[in-house]
Amino acid sequence: MDTSMAHNWLHFHSLSSFPLLTLLCAMPLGFALLALAIPDEQTNAHKAWSFLGALATFAASLVVLSRFDRSAVGLQQVDDYAWIPSFNARWTLGVDGLSLPLVLLTGILMPLIFAGAWSAIDKRWKEFSIAMLILETGMLGSLLAVDLLSFYVFWEIMLVPMYLIVGIWGGKDRIYATVKFFIYTMFGSLLMLVAILWLYQKSGGSFALAQLAELKLSEGEQTWLFAAFALAFLIKVPVFPFHTWLPDAHTEAPTPGSVVLAGVMLKLGTYGLLRFAIPLFPAAMGKFSPLLLALAVIGIVFGALMAYVQTDVKRLVAYSSVSHLGFVMLGIVIFNEESLQGAILQGVNHGISTGALFLLVGYVYERRHTREIAEFGGIAAKMPIYAAFFVFVTMSSIALPLTNGFVGEFLIFAGSFKEGVQAVIAPPAIAGHWRNTVLVGGGIASLGIVLGAVYMLSMVRRVFFGQITNPANQSLRDLTWREKSIMAVLAVFILWIGVYPSSWLNLSKTTVQAMVEAERPGILQVRAPLDYKHEASQHAHADR
Amino acid sequence: MLHDLALISPQLILLVAALFTLVADPFLPVDASRRFWGLFGAGMSGLAILACAALWKFGPYEMSTPAFSYHLAASGHALFFTALIAMCALVTHLSSPAYLTEQDSHYGEYYALLHFATFGMAVMVAAESLVTLFIGLEIMSMAIYVLVAFKRTSAASVEAGMKYFIMGSVASAFLLYGIAFLFGLSGGTSFIEIQRALLSPKPGQDLWLGLAVVLTGGAFLFKVAAVPMHMWTPDAYEGAPTPITGFMSSAVKAAAFGSFLKFLYAGISGPALASLHLPLGQVLGCFAVLTMTVGNILALTQRSIKRMLAYSAIAHAGYLLLGTVATIDDPTLGTPFLAPTGAVPFYLVGYALASLAGFAALASLGKDGEELTTEGQLAGLSKRHPIAALALTVSVLSLAGVPPTLGFFGKLQILRDVLAVDNGKYLPHVIILVLNSVVSAYYYLKVPVAMYMRPDSRVHREYVREPNLTWAMALPAFALLALGVMPGRAMGWASRSEQAIRAGSEAANTAHSYAVVKGGGSAKGVVATVAPEKPATAPVP
């Protein structure tokens, strides 16, 4: 088996002389610890302090961006220190084109989330801001860590704050939802821990990703280890049929919790697949590709259909997440340059648009204390600015051209059809089952776009337009300046990515190319052996 | 002689503390007794820890340094465990006075008994011979039986003490009987004599050795509360005064596992055991899996947090037993011992700290003879006693093994070591352990759910607020987090503790030139090379 293809993109490109990434990661935690000193009842001080903490972290992420070399292959600005000597576990943080967009997304969303929480969270601000800031440390750490043990620790650190956020500030069934969330996630990640330890044993005692990726594993081992890793990540994404915790958690979570869950945490699942599961076990990825493709497509259609029948707006948005993450998964499974660029960008897009939708739903919930679609109708007349923002974000969510959603989904479909179209145009010798599967799957998935328009637009129509039938809606106030400015920031990003996507795509371009070059042959070899030979011979031609 | 006394100075400090308390208490007025003994006990325990630290730093810890002609030793193993046990005693001394006063059971003898128990454990882990071990065990057990029944007006407490006493006596009898067989086989009681005798198996000894292993093993399994010898645990834990419950689940467990490790490593190991065809690792592995599963499943249904933690203590005994399996592996395979990474001692540190924090927090719940420790009674605690709520939360998260608490790294190390055995021979055990952790998360989560997420109950409830008690819960909780972020140092200590056992038993072998030890403390294969005249027995699948 030809796996001599080095995992260049996982090696260190540049070490950092100053521990910038460690600082970035520790900054929210530092603010959280200092928040302990502020007395409980000083709610406003907590609001300001946590907002400041998130802003400072955002500033630090901009410094990381400014020092980021877009043309370099490999991990940049790496901090690499010994952590637990007897385990040979290292503190290794690095950034590349795969993690940077998500780091920036986290940086952008967190201040907005805190600003949005000023009215959404009405009790225990101290605990809330501390939990949120620790959560941010966990998310940034998971995105930056490339040593499997520190990654796992960060991955689990995210769990407790989220559990508390849903459980303390959530809705009526919050305890059921939060325990379900915790148990589901922990189940997935503990099996991943066993797999990590197995790799550690195999490698003779290392948690370093680049080193583990070079391990020679038997086919059976790859399959089981990939299954353990993938389970943890698929639960997090969540991919059908592991999604059942998500609607509960989303619906019961307070608005800031939903935003951070949809905005960043779900993306960590797809990120984990790309960063860890695929480079560690490319052959198993090839083997599981058809299954994962099917699950992604089922998720797209199932999520959309479920969203259509919801009566609660928030639950509708939650199911739309299942559908949208299906597109991201599709892009990952296809694994060519276009689809991966699309998947990474669509991760960011989903964070922005779904985050915005959850915030918007939260705004109206704060005013009316209900999210039932039937309770509303015609509120555009009372809340014109709110309606305008809502419709705008809806356009992004259903991927209208010139919004961010269009670019991401277009790239994913471009990648899928590039992969699948071989089934039609290529010489019959190489047109195998995989290409046919992709073609059919991509076709069904594109149905999901239509369904997305159906459920979103029908919800918008029922909530915003027509006559006001419910007298309770007569007295609705429109958005305040604070709410408007939060939405304005998100709207800018929606348009920015929609109109000028290359500024974001360029961040990840080099990394994605290196990733495809390194991992695609290994995947293709298993899932479409004939194509693999074909592509290899084309490469050989090109080289000559 | 003086040198010998210096080597057992930690034990002596504890003994002096016990005797002094017993003698001086009658002369103290009740008020002074309440204020004084807790602090005195904490101070003396602290002194014992310092003595351990001094011996650890300046003494030859790699070697067993035997005192009193091979009855006690100041080995790294003994010092590590003595310090750990004294730390548990320190916290218990801090948390006891307020609790006992509220429960109307404050008597000076309590502290004397606590010192005696600590002394007994310190003797147990420092024992170099089975007789010393047994004496230590009995000193500990007698004191603990009384302490469990110390709330003499409470029927539950007295019943718990009685049950524990009767069952514990049976276990002691087993142990003694097993020791008698070992004495018969080897003509000695010290580990070194037994080990030497077992190095050259004699014909016809198999039956007696088998009996000895089963009887002593059974007694140890009783002491660590392994299924099916766990029946006493829930009642004893629930009925005992809460600080004593914390002490039992931390110090008694540490002492039991400390001496069990020593016993397995230095006592009954060797080619003689191999000739028994007793796959010790697999037998213990079965007990481990059974213990953790039964413990966790029974814990799921408990309403009282104290009782729930008792079942969780059983589950943790299962995890620790699996860690023990990794330490001893399977002697019949010819590679008896893996690298001494100290997984079990390290896990015990995390487990002891979590138990101490948790039970100290529980001890503060309820005034005037009440104990408010059911799930419903915890509702809204985070508002009324935030420190107790936080300490209890950190404690259960550590017990559940959620990073970055120390409990996570303990579990991680056990998982790593067990997976390392024979290329994943115990992979099924590891997966069962992991699934057990998920199950346990469910009942551990009930605690923070009740304290943080359930609304305040309307019943007015009082809590004990006393600075020492608050320290007793805050310090271990803080240590769980601090050591969780930087676990390296504690891991190093724990592994030195296990190395010390090995070095001691290797030294014993070299001294009589039974063994060819290459390079002093080579990591494995020492005992495998010691009996060249006997071919390796067939591996048991």
Side-chain angles (χ1 to χ4, degrees):
Chain A
M1 196 166 131
D2 176 26
T3 46
S4 57
M5 207 60 79
H7 300 268
N8 281 335
W9 67 287
L10 295 174
H11 293 166
F12 299 163
H13 170 264
S14 59
L15 289 167
S16 180
S17 52
F18 172 75
L20 179 63
L21 294 180
T22 305
L23 188 74
L24 170 68
C25 192
M27 197 173 267
L29 183 67
F31 273 84
L33 291 179
L34 291 175
L36 282 171
I38 308 175
D40 292 13
E41 60 279 4
Q42 304 251 4
T43 307
N44 284 333
H46 280 292
K47 289 178 179 175
W49 180 251
S50 51
F51 182 66
L52 195 69
L55 268 189
T57 313
F58 177 50
S61 71
L62 287 182
V63 177
V64 172
L65 174 66
S66 72
R67 291 161 44 130
F68 184 76
D69 178 359
R70 274 153 223 228
S71 57
V73 175
L75 293 156
Q76 305 185 25
Q77 306 173 31
V78 172
D79 289 339
D80 187 33
Y81 308 106
W83 178 36
I84 309 176
S86 65
F87 264 80
N88 191 20
R90 303 189 68 79
W91 177 264
T92 316
L93 302 180
V95 66
D96 67 359
L98 182 57
S99 48
L100 187 61
L102 290 173
V103 169
L104 291 173
L105 175 71
T106 314
I108 295 160
L109 278 181
M110 286 309 282
L112 299 177
I113 289 169
F114 276 115
W118 285 356
S119 54
I121 297 296
D122 51 4
K123 55 174 182 183
R124 302 210 204 173
W125 250 89
K126 183 178 189 169
E127 286 96 333
F128 174 76
S129 61
I130 290 173
M132 269 308 214
L133 287 167
I134 293 178
L135 181 60
E136 188 175 8
T137 287
M139 294 188 299
L140 289 171
S142 309
L143 288 169
L144 296 173
V146 284
D147 176 280
L148 263 73
L149 189 65
S150 38
F151 165 74
Y152 183 82
V153 168
F154 280 121
W155 178 262
E156 291 281 278
I157 284 178
M158 293 190 297
L159 208 53
V160 177
M162 196 63 213
Y163 154 77
L164 291 175
I165 288 168
V166 178
I168 298 180
W169 294 276
K172 195 160 73 12
D173 290 329
R174 60 186 188 277
I175 292 173
Y176 169 76
T178 198
V179 172
K180 189 171 176 182
F181 159 77
F182 195 100
I183 302 279
Y184 251 78
T185 323
M186 190 169 176
F187 172 73
S189 45
L190 273 170
L191 288 178
M192 175 167 79
L193 180 66
V194 176
I196 290 176
L197 285 170
W198 186 274
L199 285 174
Y200 172 85
Q201 221 64 59
K202 278 275 158 184
S203 67
S206 168
F207 287 113
L209 177 60
Q211 214 167 322
L212 296 178
E214 306 294 340
L215 275 181
K216 298 269 179 286
L217 299 167
S218 73
E219 200 189 317
E221 256 179 333
Q222 279 223 18
T223 307
W224 285 109
L225 293 173
F226 179 82
F229 270 78
L231 186 66
F233 296 136
L234 295 187
I235 288 176
K236 200 74 156 194
V237 173
V239 171
F240 178 90
F242 308 110
H243 67 280
T244 60
W245 63 269
L246 179 90
D248 289 319
H250 260 324
T251 315
E252 297 305 328
T255 304
S258 303
V259 179
V260 79
L261 192 59
V264 189
M265 279 176 81
L266 303 187
K267 258 61 100 197
L268 281 163
T270 52
Y271 168 81
L273 277 176
L274 286 173
R275 168 76 75 208
F276 298 101
I278 293 176
L280 286 172
F281 321 107
M285 176 64 191
K287 196 169 167 184
F288 280 104
S289 280
L291 177 67
L292 290 175
L293 182 86
L295 291 182
V297 173
I298 293 173
I300 292 172
V301 177
F302 173 83
L305 291 176
M306 286 302 283
Y308 184 65
V309 297
Q310 297 307 315
T311 56
D312 179 310
V313 186
K314 205 171 180 188
R315 226 175 157 82
L316 184 149
V317 179
Y319 273 108
S320 84
S321 277
V322 177
S323 183
H324 284 159
L325 265 305
F327 287 113
V328 180
M329 276 302 295
L330 179 65
I332 290 174
V333 177
I334 301 294
F335 213 88
N336 57 30
E337 192 185 334
E338 292 79 3
S339 78
L340 283 178
Q341 281 274 29
I344 294 171
L345 188 67
Q346 190 60 9
V348 176
N349 293 339
H350 175 262
I352 292 171
S353 348
T354 309
L357 279 176
F358 275 121
L359 280 168
L360 286 165
V361 174
Y363 292 162
V364 78
Y365 181 74
E366 285 162 36
R367 288 166 169 75
R368 285 278 281 106
H369 297 285
T370 178
R371 294 181 299 247
E372 288 295 312
I373 296 175
E375 285 280 322
F376 299 101
I379 64 171
K382 288 288 162 194
M383 303 174 76
I385 299 177
Y386 177 72
F389 274 124
F390 205 110
V391 171
F392 183 72
V393 176
T394 303
M395 295 304 136
S396 145
S397 175
I398 65 179
L400 201 74
L402 287 188
T403 63
N404 58 354
F406 173 74
V407 185
E409 290 188 4
F410 176 79
L411 279 169
I412 293 172
F413 279 108
S416 311
F417 285 107
K418 183 180 160 200
E419 186 94 352
V421 82
Q422 303 278 344
V424 187
I425 61 159
I430 67 156
H433 290 304
W434 167 245
R435 304 290 188 181
N436 290 328
T437 316
V438 171
L439 206 58
V440 175
I444 301 174
S446 52
L447 192 70
I449 300 188
V450 182
L451 289 174
V454 172
Y455 66 76
M456 283 307 285
L457 290 177
S458 81
M459 182 265 286
V460 165
R461 183 182 57 76
R462 283 184 284 164
V463 170
F464 289 96
F465 301 111
Q467 293 298 314
I468 298 184
T469 47
N470 189 339
N473 294 330
Q474 289 290 358
S475 55
L476 281 174
R477 289 169 295 107
D478 208 344
L479 301 185
T480 64
W481 66 268
R482 179 179 57 84
E483 294 166 335
K484 276 184 233 164
S485 11
I486 296 172
M487 293 323 295
V489 175
L490 289 169
V492 166
F493 277 99
I494 290 175
L495 266 185
W496 175 10
I497 303 178
V499 175
Y500 185 52
S502 46
S503 55
W504 284 76
L505 291 172
N506 280 342
L507 285 180
S508 42
K509 190 168 184 206
T510 317
T511 305
V512 165
Q513 282 169 344
M515 220 160 107
V516 169
E517 195 185 330
E519 317 300 346
R520 190 172 156 85
I523 299 174
L524 214 55
Q525 219 169 8
V526 176
R527 79 177 173 198
L530 293 171
D531 296 5
Y532 169 70
K533 283 186 194 138
H534 182 67
E535 275 191 18
S537 69
Q538 278 185 337
H539 268 291
H541 274 293
D543 288 346
R544 255 178 255 146
Chain B
M1 186 63 187
L2 206 57
H3 176 250
D4 284 4
L5 287 177
L7 287 180
I8 60 160
S9 55
Q11 283 85 349
L12 288 180
I13 290 170
L14 294 166
L15 183 62
V16 167
L19 296 173
F20 179 76
T21 312
L22 212 51
V23 172
D25 182 61
F27 301 101
L28 272 181
V30 176
D31 267 5
S33 154
R34 280 183 187 162
R35 267 180 282 123
F36 180 64
W37 287 128
L39 289 175
F40 173 76
M44 291 304 269
S45 311
L47 206 59
I49 298 177
L50 285 182
C52 288
L55 284 170
W56 175 272
K57 186 142 176 57
F58 303 112
Y61 60 82
E62 316 82 2
M63 297 276 290
S64 244
T65 311
F68 300 107
S69 46
Y70 284 102
H71 280 293
L72 285 167
S75 63
H77 170 256
L79 292 173
F80 177 88
F81 275 95
T82 308
L84 177 60
I85 288 160
M87 189 268 293
C88 300
L90 193 158
V91 175
T92 312
H93 277 292
L94 283 181
S95 64
S96 293
Y99 176 85
L100 291 175
T101 310
E102 286 306 327
Q103 301 288 330
D104 202 19
S105 312
H106 193 284
Y107 303 99
E109 290 82 358
Y110 176 93
Y111 302 94
L113 286 166
L114 203 50
H115 282 302
F116 273 122
T118 317
F119 167 70
M121 294 175 193
V123 169
M124 222 172 131
V125 292
E128 284 295 312
S129 84
L130 287 170
V131 170
T132 335
L133 192 152
F134 183 77
I135 292 172
L137 179 81
E138 283 303 287
I139 296 175
M140 169 192 90
S141 301
M142 289 302 163
I144 296 280
Y145 298 146
V146 182
L147 284 170
V148 167
F150 207 78
K151 286 198 291 181
R152 53 184 187 172
T153 50
S154 145
S157 176
V158 175
E159 184 194 332
M162 196 65 197
K163 264 189 189 162
Y164 190 23
F165 171 63
I166 292 172
M167 296 201 203
S169 308
V170 174
S172 296
F174 274 142
L175 184 63
L176 207 52
Y177 206 16
I179 291 174
F181 283 122
L182 282 175
F183 176 72
L185 283 171
S186 60
T189 58
S190 69
F191 287 132
I192 204 163
E193 285 166 308
I194 294 171
Q195 206 175 16
R196 279 175 199 156
L198 294 187
L199 282 177
S200 44
K202 287 180 271 299
Q205 69 168 24
D206 285 4
L207 172 66
W208 311 113
L209 184 61
L211 267 174
V213 169
V214 169
L215 289 170
T216 49
F220 276 113
L221 289 181
F222 175 89
K223 284 292 164 197
V224 304
V227 173
M229 278 77 96
H230 68 288
M231 300 297 184
W232 57 275
T233 319
D235 289 330
Y237 275 39
E238 197 185 16
T242 311
I244 291 304
T245 315
F247 187 66
M248 282 164 77
S249 75
S250 54
V252 175
K253 195 146 268 176
F257 268 103
S259 52
F260 192 31
L261 273 184
K262 173 95 187 175
F263 180 70
L264 286 172
Y265 242 113
I268 58 166
S269 62
L273 203 58
S275 74
L276 268 185
H277 298 294
L278 180 70
L280 197 55
Q282 278 162 8
V283 172
L284 280 180
C286 285
F287 275 112
V289 163
L290 193 66
T291 305
M292 62 179 88
T293 312
V294 169
N296 277 323
I297 288 174
L298 291 179
L300 280 176
T301 58
Q302 303 305 320
R303 290 235 149 258
S304 154
I305 302 298
K306 227 170 147 183
R307 205 171 171 86
M308 185 193 92
L309 288 178
Y311 281 106
S312 113
I314 298 174
H316 283 271
Y319 306 151
L320 281 159
L321 273 180
L322 200 56
T324 314
V325 169
T327 325
I328 61 161
D329 190 16
D330 190 348
T332 56
L333 288 176
T335 50
F337 304 133
L338 294 160
T341 55
V344 171
F346 179 70
Y347 191 94
L348 281 166
V349 176
Y351 179 67
L353 286 170
S355 299
L356 291 169
F359 283 108
L362 287 179
S364 74
L365 310 183
K367 278 196 142 176
D368 301 330
E370 283 185 301
E371 283 204 6
L372 305 173
T373 55
T374 66
E375 206 190 321
Q377 287 162 337
L378 285 181
L381 185 69
S382 66
K383 282 205 181 123
R384 286 170 291 164
H385 197 339
I387 296 181
L390 193 61
L392 200 48
T393 304
V394 173
S395 155
V396 293
L397 287 179
S398 178
L399 291 174
V402 178
T405 56
L406 194 52
F408 166 71
F409 290 99
K411 219 168 248 175
L412 180 76
Q413 205 173 9
I414 286 189
L415 289 177
R416 178 190 72 168
D417 287 7
V418 176
L419 267 183
V421 178
D422 237 8
N423 281 324
K425 185 170 76 172
Y426 292 111
L427 181 64
H429 298 65
V430 165
I431 290 176
I432 293 173
L433 194 162
V434 159
L435 295 180
N436 263 295
S437 297
V438 179
V439 173
S440 75
Y442 181 76
Y443 62 79
Y444 287 130
L445 286 186
K446 282 181 182 174
V447 178
V449 160
M451 294 187 304
Y452 285 90
M453 301 172 194
R454 301 238 184 252
D456 230 338
S457 62
R458 264 155 284 160
V459 191
H460 184 69
R461 296 209 172 96
E462 292 273 355
Y463 300 106
V464 189
R465 284 164 210 278
E466 194 250 352
N468 287 342
L469 181 54
T470 309
W471 282 116
M473 59 183 100
L475 285 177
F478 176 75
L480 282 174
L481 289 174
L483 289 174
V485 176
M486 275 298 168
R489 181 67 65 85
M491 278 180 183
W493 294 335
S495 104
R496 261 157 65 169
S497 134
E498 261 184 17
Q499 277 161 12
I501 315 182
R502 175 194 302 277
S505 74
E506 279 173 13
N509 295 330
T510 354
H512 271 239
S513 70
Y514 283 111
V516 191
V517 184
K518 294 191 183 72
S522 71
K524 56 167 132 180
V526 174
V527 179
T529 57
V530 294
E533 73 276 11
K534 189 172 173 61
T537 45
V540 175

XYZ file of all heavy atoms in Angstrom, chain A residues 186-212:
207
model
N -20.330 12.461 26.181
C -19.299 11.766 26.927
C -19.126 10.340 26.409
O -18.000 9.843 26.323
C -19.661 11.748 28.401
C -18.540 11.262 29.261
S -18.893 11.565 30.972
C -17.477 10.802 31.721
N -20.225 9.721 26.061
C -20.147 8.361 25.517
C -19.245 8.347 24.291
O -18.319 7.547 24.184
C -21.553 7.876 25.169
C -21.585 6.568 24.438
C -21.309 5.403 25.107
C -21.883 6.518 23.092
C -21.325 4.191 24.433
C -21.899 5.321 22.413
C -21.624 4.151 23.098
N -19.518 9.284 23.373
C -18.704 9.334 22.164
C -17.256 9.596 22.462
O -16.355 8.918 21.947
N -17.009 10.546 23.354
C -15.619 10.939 23.501
C -14.815 9.916 24.296
O -13.619 9.784 24.077
C -15.506 12.330 24.102
O -16.360 12.471 25.178
N -15.461 9.169 25.200
C -14.678 8.196 25.956
C -14.190 7.057 25.065
O -13.084 6.563 25.233
C -15.495 7.652 27.121
C -15.393 8.503 28.376
C -16.403 8.061 29.404
C -14.004 8.449 28.959
N -15.030 6.669 24.091
C -14.544 5.636 23.177
C -13.388 6.183 22.350
O -12.427 5.474 22.038
C -15.679 5.154 22.282
C -16.706 4.290 23.009
C -17.820 3.898 22.072
C -16.063 3.039 23.594
N -13.470 7.478 22.033
C -12.351 8.090 21.320
C -11.098 8.052 22.189
O -9.985 7.837 21.691
C -12.688 9.526 20.944
C -11.536 10.272 20.294
S -12.043 11.796 19.521
C -12.185 12.867 20.926
N -11.281 8.234 23.494
C -10.121 8.205 24.387
C -9.434 6.841 24.338
O -8.204 6.754 24.302
C -10.556 8.539 25.817
C -9.439 8.534 26.849
C -8.466 9.652 26.569
C -9.985 8.678 28.246
N -10.250 5.788 24.322
C -9.648 4.451 24.233
C -8.862 4.332 22.925
O -7.735 3.819 22.900
C -10.734 3.364 24.327
C -10.122 2.001 24.131
C -11.436 3.435 25.666
N -9.448 4.849 21.847
C -8.755 4.783 20.556
C -7.458 5.588 20.595
O -6.427 5.157 20.066
C -9.674 5.308 19.452
N -7.505 6.749 21.246
C -6.294 7.573 21.349
C -5.218 6.798 22.096
O -4.049 6.773 21.692
C -6.613 8.900 22.074
C -7.473 9.792 21.188
C -5.332 9.627 22.455
C -7.914 11.080 21.852
N -5.625 6.142 23.182
C -4.637 5.398 23.967
C -4.084 4.214 23.180
O -2.930 3.838 23.325
C -5.252 4.927 25.285
C -5.411 6.036 26.309
C -6.228 5.572 27.484
C -4.057 6.520 26.780
N -4.934 3.633 22.357
C -4.474 2.526 21.523
C -3.392 3.021 20.562
O -2.338 2.377 20.397
C -5.662 1.934 20.762
C -5.307 0.703 20.001
C -4.793 0.635 18.740
C -5.407 -0.648 20.459
N -4.579 -0.650 18.388
C -4.947 -1.474 19.419
C -5.858 -1.229 21.646
C -4.920 -2.859 19.525
C -5.831 -2.601 21.749
C -5.369 -3.407 20.702
N -3.651 4.157 19.940
C -2.647 4.736 19.036
C -1.364 5.050 19.792
O -0.257 4.827 19.303
C -3.180 6.031 18.416
C -4.227 5.894 17.327
C -4.738 7.262 16.938
C -3.615 5.220 16.117
N -1.553 5.573 20.997
C -0.411 5.926 21.836
C 0.444 4.695 22.086
O 1.674 4.725 21.981
C -0.963 6.499 23.135
C 0.041 6.760 24.233
C 0.747 7.948 24.253
C 0.224 5.848 25.257
C 1.637 8.205 25.268
C 1.113 6.092 26.272
C 1.822 7.279 26.275
O 2.708 7.521 27.281
N -0.226 3.584 22.371
C 0.487 2.345 22.621
C 1.216 1.875 21.373
O 2.366 1.476 21.420
C -0.538 1.285 23.047
C -0.074 0.412 24.153
C 0.138 1.220 25.417
O -0.650 1.763 25.849
N 1.210 1.299 26.018
N 0.508 1.947 20.244
C 1.065 1.494 18.974
C 2.310 2.280 18.598
O 3.252 1.758 18.012
C 0.027 1.659 17.860
C -0.949 0.540 17.792
C -0.372 -0.573 16.964
C -1.080 -1.864 17.347
N -0.533 -3.009 16.662
N 2.268 3.570 18.904
C 3.362 4.434 18.463
C 4.520 4.375 19.441
O 5.510 5.074 19.268
C 2.868 5.863 18.347
O 2.566 6.330 19.639
N 4.393 3.589 20.484
C 5.440 3.536 21.482
C 5.448 4.752 22.372
O 6.496 5.136 22.889
N 4.314 5.373 22.536
C 4.229 6.445 23.524
C 4.320 7.838 22.962
O 5.241 8.583 23.288
N 3.371 8.196 22.099
C 3.344 9.581 21.638
C 1.905 9.984 21.394
O 1.081 9.170 20.990
C 4.136 9.725 20.348
O 3.888 10.977 19.774
N 1.616 11.246 21.665
C 0.294 11.774 21.350
C 0.360 12.763 20.189
O -0.619 13.411 19.879
C -0.306 12.484 22.564
C -0.770 11.551 23.653
C -0.134 11.530 24.880
C -1.858 10.733 23.455
C -0.568 10.695 25.887
C -2.296 9.893 24.457
C -1.654 9.870 25.671
N 1.555 12.916 19.593
C 1.703 13.942 18.557
C 1.009 13.495 17.278
O 1.273 12.410 16.764
C 3.177 14.210 18.309
N 0.146 14.342 16.755
C -0.689 13.978 15.617
C 0.160 13.594 14.402
O -0.077 12.569 13.770
C -1.632 15.136 15.295
C -2.517 14.939 14.078
C -3.409 13.742 14.238
C -3.357 16.181 13.845
N 1.159 14.433 14.095
C 1.941 14.179 12.886
C 2.633 12.822 12.964
O 2.733 12.098 11.981
C 2.968 15.287 12.693
N 3.069 12.477 14.169
C 3.754 11.202 14.353
C 2.773 10.029 14.238
O 3.061 9.017 13.620
C 4.375 11.209 15.732
C 5.669 10.477 15.851
C 6.327 10.819 17.171
O 6.275 11.964 17.627
N 6.911 9.832 17.802
N 1.602 10.205 14.833
C 0.614 9.128 14.804
C 0.088 8.901 13.394
O -0.286 7.785 13.034
C -0.536 9.448 15.754
C -0.169 9.522 17.230
C -1.378 9.904 18.059
C 0.385 8.198 17.707
